[in-house]
Amino acid sequence: MVDQGQQAKSCEALVVGAGPAGLMAAEAMARAGLRVLIVDAMPSPARKFLMAGKSGLNLTKDEPLEDFLRAFHPLQPALRMALQDFGPDAVKDFAIRLGQQVFTGSTGRVFPLVMKGSPLLRGWLARLDGLGVTLRTRWHWTGWQGEALLFDTPQGPQALTPAVTVLACGGASWARLGSDGGWADFIPDTAPFAPANMGLNVLWSGHMAPHFGTPIKGAALHAGDQISRGEWVISARGIEGGGIYPLSRPLREEAPLMVDFFPDLAVEDLRQRLARPRGKSSLANHLRKTIGLAPAAIALVQEFARPLPDDLAPLLKALPIHHAGPRPLDEAISVAGGLRFDALDDDLMLRVRPGTFAAGEMLDWEAPTGGYLLTGCFATGLRAGQSAAVYYAKQLANARGAG
């Protein structure tokens, strides 16, 4: 709490959070001529962005827009409009304008040629500096006092009364990188956080230990009406990796998880192959020789389906994976839940706080990894920043007219 005698400092445009959404909002407002201040709780900006870049920085997914939009849930009108204005093609152009050439992989995922995030971030921060944007770090937002936003800073408590504000505070995973969800304590219109793009806990028996760290490739995972054919990994804690992440929502809703080891093969075709004479071979060798089932996959079959039935074909097409629920929220790559869209107008402005906008992972949407998350943050940040600039211009015009 700021002392009653301490006067709040005014500023034109404030961005709370220096991740991709906040930086995009700051650039939009600066290009509209506003003097922009960005504040962030961490010692340096965009820490989660840089962490994502260590594995290649998947910027977006190169696919038709309607296919791209289907990856987002819930696809509220404000989110749809943001993504239509700044979709995959715009993200590629954005990276190129920052001096980062991009390439599209075989699955449609788009990466910078350097396969990391730090060069793009350095170029972006330099461009913002050239636009007159100011960045302050170690500023921790603690809520509002009337119209003022309150902060704990290295210089002591601070209070700011900006003409327009964009909140881009992140979700509630990876708290060590700045996204701790603490802002939800003073924004009531928030849906509960839940893990998204998360791994699953599995209580393995001892015989699975030799397979920890082994990827499962070529299989299809099913949960509810969702199917994922991405690679996933058997870990000491359970199941992790890109193949499981797209199923986060049905798994949170307790849909059963099944694995089809042969998604391109019909049950009867599989049954015919398994019917070849086994001779003196062990079952594991027979499965390996006749259908090419990998040792880790054989171990999963034995883990979840013993005693094995005589007819293995249906089981190999729909092996139930018994798990103990999601890994903890703070380990998830992203979160579901957050600031509800019904608390915002189509310009991403808080209905109860005119002049305050919100963007990025703090909003109540989710999408799988594969470029969707970053594009969603870029797009909503841009829309919030542009909307804030328009709002500021209108307020300024109205004030001049009244004068």
Side-chain angles (χ1 to χ4, degrees):
M1 181 70 69
V2 173
D3 293 339
Q4 294 297 321
Q6 181 176 349
Q7 186 174 2
K9 300 174 182 178
S10 61
C11 62
E12 281 189 353
L14 175 68
V15 177
V16 182
L23 297 180
M24 190 65 80
E27 180 166 349
M29 291 189 289
R31 289 192 180 280
L34 278 72
R35 293 188 297 275
V36 182
L37 170 65
I38 308 173
V39 298
D40 194 272
M42 301 303 288
S44 58
R47 289 198 163 193
K48 192 173 180 182
F49 176 82
L50 290 175
M51 179 63 75
K54 287 186 176 182
S55 60
L57 192 65
N58 184 187
L59 289 167
T60 192
K61 182 77 175 290
D62 192 354
E63 62 186 0
L65 183 60
E66 286 304 314
D67 293 340
F68 188 83
L69 293 175
R70 279 193 284 272
F72 292 82
H73 179 84
L75 185 59
Q76 299 286 358
L79 179 57
R80 171 182 278 274
M81 287 186 284
L83 291 166
Q84 287 172 331
D85 290 343
F86 199 84
D89 288 340
V91 173
K92 289 187 289 184
D93 291 342
F94 165 76
I96 292 169
R97 290 198 305 273
L98 284 170
Q100 299 303 306
Q101 295 300 311
V102 299
F103 72 95
T104 302
S106 58
T107 61
R109 297 185 178 195
V110 177
F111 302 86
L113 282 177
V114 295
M115 292 295 287
K116 56 184 178 180
S118 51
L120 187 148
L121 180 61
R122 283 196 300 270
W124 198 1
L125 292 175
R127 188 162 75 185
L128 290 171
D129 184 65
L131 290 168
V133 174
T134 302
L135 173 65
R136 296 282 182 264
T137 57
R138 295 187 173 90
W139 277 50
H140 183 75
W141 183 37
T142 59
W144 282 283
Q145 182 175 292
E147 297 300 313
L149 290 91
L150 308 181
F151 299 90
D152 288 333
T153 81
Q155 295 76 38
Q158 301 286 334
L160 298 178
T161 54
V164 288
T165 301
V166 175
L167 304 176
C169 305
S173 65
W174 295 36
R176 67 188 184 280
L177 301 179
S179 298
D180 62 7
W183 54 266
D185 292 341
F186 37 87
I187 301 183
D189 298 311
T190 302
F193 294 118
N197 292 297
M198 80 281 186
L200 295 176
N201 291 301
V202 180
L203 305 176
W204 302 114
S205 62
H207 92 280
M208 290 297 298
H211 304 286
F212 292 163
T214 303
I216 301 296
K217 302 179 181 181
L221 289 168
H222 295 246
D225 61 355
Q226 302 293 310
I227 301 174
S228 172
R229 294 190 62 166
E231 181 179 310
W232 45 283
V233 176
I234 301 169
S235 76
R237 301 182 300 181
I239 293 173
E240 301 176 12
I244 195 73
Y245 297 157
L247 307 179
S248 295
R249 183 162 54 90
L251 289 172
R252 287 198 312 270
E253 296 169 354
E254 301 185 352
L257 177 63
M258 315 286 283
V259 58
D260 178 356
F261 290 109
F262 299 93
D264 299 317
L265 202 60
V267 171
E268 189 54 40
D269 292 333
L270 189 58
R271 185 177 285 128
Q272 289 178 8
R273 296 187 187 190
L274 289 169
R276 296 170 187 168
R278 175 173 163 183
K280 295 182 179 180
S281 295
S282 67
L283 176 60
N285 280 336
H286 183 65
L287 293 172
R288 179 176 56 83
K289 291 178 181 178
T290 57
I291 58 176
L293 198 62
I298 294 171
L300 288 170
V301 173
Q302 294 172 332
E303 177 78 1
F304 293 118
R306 287 182 294 181
L308 300 181
D310 293 333
D311 185 6
L312 281 176
L315 183 66
L316 296 175
K317 293 287 292 177
L319 177 72
I321 301 293
H322 305 297
H323 61 88
R327 294 292 303 159
L329 178 65
D330 195 49
E331 294 181 14
I333 290 178
S334 60
V335 296
L339 182 57
R340 297 198 304 267
F341 277 93
D342 60 12
L344 307 167
D345 65 15
D346 286 345
D347 292 324
L348 298 179
M349 185 170 71
L350 274 68
R351 298 184 188 279
V352 298
R353 285 192 174 269
T356 298
F357 301 78
E361 282 195 71
M362 70 181 295
L363 303 182
D364 182 15
W365 59 273
E366 63 177 304
T369 57
Y372 302 104
L373 288 172
L374 262 180
T375 301
C377 290
F378 289 143
T380 56
L382 178 63
R383 184 168 184 83
Q386 290 175 334
S387 299
V390 170
Y391 180 88
Y392 176 83
K394 289 179 179 178
Q395 296 301 111
L396 190 62
N398 290 339
R400 288 171 177 170

